[in-house]
Amino acid sequence: MPSDMLNANFEQFFLEPGRSEFYEKASLFIHEYMTTKKGKGLYLYGSWGTGKTYMLSAIANILSQRGVVCGLVYFPELIAEIKASFGNDGSSAYDKIEQLKQIEVLMLDDIGSESMTSWMRDEVLGRILNYRMHQNLPTFFSSNKDYKQLEHHYTYSQKGEVEEMKAARILERIKALTTPVKITGKNYRHNL
């Protein structure tokens, strides 16, 4: 988790009209998960700087305080780390993927901003999502793209390949794991 997000919480959350749906759905998830150990994650999408990472951090902090193991991962950095580990024996990449598949609550921040390769989509993201979907493990996402834009991003590889079926498969898993919540409002980064 980013160091500036370690104290993120709902008390500091600004209940503006563009964020109230998030607050309701996040609170409902936390209650449901703490009661049943089940629940559908959220797919937070919207413009840059509107607080999506902060919101994920607040959920992770609340759950962690209640003993739930959460992982908040900046997705583009994860992909870079996994690619870099292939120069070694590759076991650290496998270990990271296995950890993310099995962690109690996973949050993938800024999905859709990474450079898309077929390998990343199918062998990393696809494996993680497939496992989590079949095990009913809560998974959250933040993105600047809505579902349709994310599917388009995963359709075209860096090599110019068009893989509509594979992109649709990823999106179906994301949709099965999440409820979409559009985040609107001012850009908080401009006020730093």
Side-chain angles (χ1 to χ4, degrees), residues 13-32:
F13 190 68
F14 303 101
L15 284 181
E16 296 176 10
R19 292 168 169 76
S20 59
E21 180 185 8
F22 160 78
Y23 181 77
E24 290 172 21
K25 290 188 172 159
S27 298
L28 182 64
F29 170 81
I30 291 167
H31 174 73
E32 181 182 345

Side-chain angles (χ1 to χ4, degrees), residues 13-62:
F13 190 68
F14 303 101
L15 284 181
E16 296 176 10
R19 292 168 169 76
S20 59
E21 180 185 8
F22 160 78
Y23 181 77
E24 290 172 21
K25 290 188 172 159
S27 298
L28 182 64
F29 170 81
I30 291 167
H31 174 73
E32 181 182 345
Y33 190 75
M34 295 311 299
T35 306
T36 66
K37 291 295 183 198
K38 294 180 182 174
K40 202 170 190 180
L42 301 177
Y43 182 86
L44 307 180
Y45 68 97
S47 297
W48 297 277
T50 53
K52 297 178 297 295
T53 301
Y54 184 92
M55 294 173 191
L56 290 181
S57 299
I59 294 170
N61 287 337
I62 291 166

